[in-house]
Amino acid sequence: MVPANLATLAGRLRGARRVTVLTGAGISAASGVPTFRGAGGLWRNYRPEDLATPEAFARDPILLWEWYAWRRETIAGCIPNAAHEVLARWSQGDGGATIVTQNVDDLHLRAGTTRLVRLHGSIWELSCSRACAAGSAPWRDERTVMPGLPLCPHCQAPARPAVVWFGEALDENDLRAALEATACDVFLTVGTSSVVYPAAGLVDHARQRGAFTAEINADATPATALVDLAIHGGAETVLPELDRLIAVPRGLV
Ligand code: OAD
């Protein structure tokens, strides 16, 4: 017997012309990527809000790079899970879903997602911490063994991860693309604690523009009370189940 809320969401997705999915760290949890908040979400007792800032980098760039080197090494050993694979399929082809992610692990990319907005950048890209003319555009660096302090190849200043830190603005093209994607029929928020803005505000934006909104998360979040429908469970089991239901002819679910 299929739970009623899953069947309802599958019906909405089947009838939708435009679908947008916002993802957070929870979608990569089953791949082995640690989440930021909750059990196991901390690194040496530092909170991400204290480490992921320009001030923390200016104070102690080597400590920051230790954290990022640890995360890069961890992520390098992870592969996309069933949830990434379902979203990659949904994104492909004309009229495919737009996937907006807060994750910097690139597992959506590795799964083959085509219509992807990486709101917080990529941990596999670096940029010049002094934003020199040639080094302000991010470059790819997939080394898992990093020097203690990687340098900008153009001006030799410390390089930084090309990710968005607290207190920094999102890339305006990414933010515009994410806001445009809130004009949709169904907006899903998956595996995010919904506390970091502006990403956390997108679901409400979509709701105000008339989208049917739903949350898939292991736990309740501030978005739970806002959405039309909330499903509690792991993204890696709920999304494949939804995918299966969408393929079932109407009336048979
Ligand atoms: P969080 O670590 O804050 O939240 C992860 C969410 O995933 C929690 O609500 C968990 O309950 C849920 N979760 C855990 N396992 C799950 C599973 N298997 N399936 C579904 N849900 C699961 O991560 P984010 O919300 O992504 O920002 O964090 C937002 C931002 O805060 C990050 O992008 C990062 C961080 O600081 C920057 O780096 C700028």
Side-chain angles (χ1 to χ4, degrees):
M1 188 65 189
V2 175
N5 55 0
L6 263 185
T8 303
L9 182 52
R12 289 283 183 163
L13 286 165
R14 211 188 287 139
R17 274 179 306 112
R18 198 167 177 207
V19 173
T20 298
V21 186
L22 170 70
T23 70
I27 199 165
S28 296
S31 296
V33 182
T35 58
F36 292 96
R37 298 172 185 80
L42 300 178
W43 179 73
R44 294 195 203 159
N45 297 326
Y46 290 98
R47 300 183 323 139
E49 291 84 344
D50 296 333
L51 277 178
T53 67
E55 293 77 21
F57 186 78
R59 211 167 33 241
D60 192 346
I62 291 181
L63 172 74
L64 258 274
W65 266 114
E66 272 181 53
W67 185 45
Y68 279 96
W70 169 76
R71 288 175 60 197
R72 285 163 63 106
E73 205 181 320
T74 307
I75 293 166
C78 299
I79 56 170
N81 66 56
H84 298 105
E85 280 158 16
V86 167
L87 295 186
R89 269 203 314 282
W90 289 3
S91 75
Q92 289 158 4
D94 285 346
T98 301
I99 314 301
V100 180
T101 190
Q102 297 165 85
N103 298 346
V104 297
D105 57 30
D106 276 359
L107 291 185
H108 283 302
L109 264 190
R110 283 170 59 189
T113 305
T114 52
R115 209 169 270 104
L116 180 66
V117 181
R118 294 179 304 172
L119 267 189
H120 292 166
S122 167
I123 201 165
W124 299 110
E125 292 173 13
L126 310 189
S127 62
C128 175
S129 65
R130 300 213 180 113
C132 76
S136 53
W139 66 88
R140 197 88 189 157
D141 181 332
E142 297 185 357
R143 285 177 293 177
T144 47
V145 179
M146 300 289 284
L149 186 58
L151 300 178
C152 170
H154 308 287
C155 74
Q156 308 306 311
R160 56 165 286 175
V163 300
V164 179
W165 283 331
F166 288 96
E168 293 184 322
L170 303 191
D171 176 271
E172 64 182 47
N173 291 327
D174 290 337
L175 185 57
R176 189 179 316 114
L179 285 170
E180 273 170 10
T182 61
C184 57
D185 303 305
V186 176
F187 187 99
L188 286 183
T189 170
V190 180
T192 170
S193 56
S194 292
V195 294
V196 175
Y197 283 77
L202 293 173
V203 64
D204 197 36
H205 208 70
R207 194 179 61 87
Q208 287 177 26
R209 298 177 89 173
F212 181 84
T213 56
E215 174 182 62
I216 298 169
N217 199 298
D219 296 307
T221 75
T224 311
L226 274 182
V227 291
D228 295 303
L229 186 153
I231 295 175
H232 292 301
E236 66 284 0
T237 52
V238 176
L239 282 171
E241 182 62 6
L242 268 177
D243 189 47
R244 190 186 67 76
L245 288 174
I246 292 168
V248 174
R250 272 176 219 274
L252 293 183
V253 178

